[in-house]
Amino acid sequence: GLMRSLFVRWLINTLALYVAVQVVPGVDYDRGPVGLLLVAVLFGLVNAFLRPLLTLLTCPLVLVTLGLFLFVINALLLLLTGWLSAQFDLGFRVAGFWPAFWAGLLISLVSLFLSLMVGEREVKVIRR
């Protein structure tokens, strides 16, 4: 059901963040696994609330760049997650735009791969 789907999405986001921390220079995490689960919740909330708004506001840019501006939006959301993580002392840091850009790209790829592996569809928060 919905709870299982949200739980799986949460775990996928946590693993994708973990991979980004391991691979991308300038994306760091220095706490335990429980803290990374909290960072993933923060990242999920930032994405759920701000991604649709940013995508709508930058729609012309997204169209003109054939969707490439979505990677910039990913980077900005990851930068915000890093900033919020610092406010709550969660130990997750993103050192600027380019680390956020590459980490956002990697997180998208890892999430897609893991979603396909577990057969999980994108979770729609609002059902019609």
Side-chain angles (χ1 to χ4, degrees):
L2 181 61
M3 288 310 291
R4 179 193 174 280
S5 200
L6 285 171
F7 181 73
V8 169
R9 171 94 354 238
W10 179 34
L11 290 179
I12 287 173
N13 277 339
T14 304
L15 286 170
L17 281 165
Y18 177 78
V19 170
V21 165
Q22 299 305 310
V23 173
V24 180
V27 177
D28 299 298
Y29 177 72
D30 62 9
R31 300 292 195 306
V34 173
L36 197 58
L37 289 166
L38 293 175
V39 173
V41 167
L42 202 57
F43 185 57
L45 290 172
V46 164
N47 272 291
F49 289 105
L50 292 180
R51 177 181 304 282
L53 180 65
L54 285 176
T55 304
L56 182 67
L57 292 175
T58 62
C59 191
L61 269 174
V62 171
L63 291 173
V64 167
T65 62
L66 304 177
L68 292 177
F69 195 75
L70 292 172
F71 293 120
V72 172
I73 291 173
N74 279 352
L76 294 173
L77 295 173
L78 203 54
L79 278 169
L80 179 59
T81 301
W83 182 82
L84 288 170
S85 174
Q87 305 314 300
F88 295 112
D89 193 30
L90 296 178
F92 178 74
R93 284 176 305 285
V94 182
F97 177 79
W98 288 111
F101 180 86
W102 295 115
L105 184 60
L106 183 60
I107 288 168
S108 296
L109 292 172
V110 170
S111 294
L112 176 65
F113 175 76
L114 290 173
S115 296
L116 292 171
M117 291 295 291
V118 297
E120 193 64 26
R121 302 288 180 267
E122 187 65 38
V123 176
K124 298 295 179 209
V125 176
I126 300 168
R127 305 244 179 227
R128 297 188 183 200

